[in-house]
Amino acid sequence: MRAAGFESRVTDEPPEAVDTRFPYVIDDPARATSNGYGRAIRTRRNAIADDDPDQRCFRALAEPRRSAALRAFHGDGNQRLEARVPGSGTIRHSDKGCAANARRGLYGDLPSWYRARKVTEALPRLVRSAVVRDARHTRCPPNSAPPPATESTSTPFESREFSS
């Protein structure tokens, strides 16, 4: 970004979202006591995002510079990277710009990294949706264990969504 005339800083990642760590139910009593259903975590994540130095600089830019900053970071809009993601279709992105150049430097083969990253990012959503659709999950009355799986019972990972 500096080469394109913009400031950029490396910042810490925000706290993990509660729905990422506990996609079905919060099963950690200490965490539930301190965070409830995630409001404290969401509030902290939003405060960190609002205070992010790169975001503050970006919001302060006049419109022509803001567009130039987006082009410098994301590339020219020519979407040469492509990933076929189960349940989402084909996702495309530019292979130009500061982010692509940094990733190319880190990972080498940018198209392969992009495909692996997009499929990997989709897996939690696919697994959650398969689990929620699974009758063993939805039939469970409160405070009871699900029925044991049998050899004839398919698991969420054996659903058609995950086959190629």
Side-chain angles (χ1 to χ4, degrees):
M1 290 297 288
R2 284 189 188 102
F6 298 97
E7 290 182 35
S8 182
R9 295 167 194 82
V10 176
T11 58
D12 292 333
E13 289 288 322
E16 186 177 30
V18 72
D19 59 339
T20 302
R21 178 109 188 253
F22 302 101
Y24 312 107
V25 65
I26 297 175
D27 60 356
D28 179 343
R31 189 160 183 126
T33 300
S34 65
N35 294 297
Y37 289 105
R39 179 176 292 163
I41 294 171
R42 275 191 302 277
T43 301
R44 209 165 46 239
R45 284 177 63 86
N46 291 343
I48 289 169
D50 289 343
D51 196 40
D52 180 273
D54 286 328
Q55 288 301 314
R56 279 197 321 263
C57 286
F58 180 74
R59 288 190 302 262
L61 293 173
E63 181 47 43
R65 287 285 290 161
R66 190 179 290 190
S67 294
L70 288 173
R71 270 191 315 280
F73 187 79
H74 292 291
D76 59 10
N78 261 334
Q79 299 178 339
R80 292 184 182 97
L81 298 175
E82 187 172 292
R84 193 166 103 39
V85 179
S88 297
T90 301
I91 298 173
R92 294 178 180 85
H93 197 277
S94 175
D95 64 344
K96 306 287 187 239
C98 295
N101 289 337
R103 290 173 180 138
R104 189 178 289 109
L106 286 170
Y107 307 113
D109 183 353
L110 184 62
S112 293
W113 173 85
Y114 182 77
R115 285 189 300 275
R117 174 70 182 246
K118 290 303 162 186
V119 170
T120 303
E121 286 174 347
L123 289 176
R125 178 182 45 81
L126 293 170
V127 170
R128 276 193 303 272
S129 80
V131 168
V132 170
R133 281 193 319 273
D134 188 307
R136 290 171 294 165
H137 172 76
T138 58
R139 279 196 313 245
C140 290
N143 301 321
S144 70
T150 64
E151 284 187 38
S152 63
T153 307
S154 66
T155 67
F157 297 103
E158 296 167 342
S159 70
R160 277 191 267 155
E161 253 184 89
F162 293 95
S163 62
S164 47

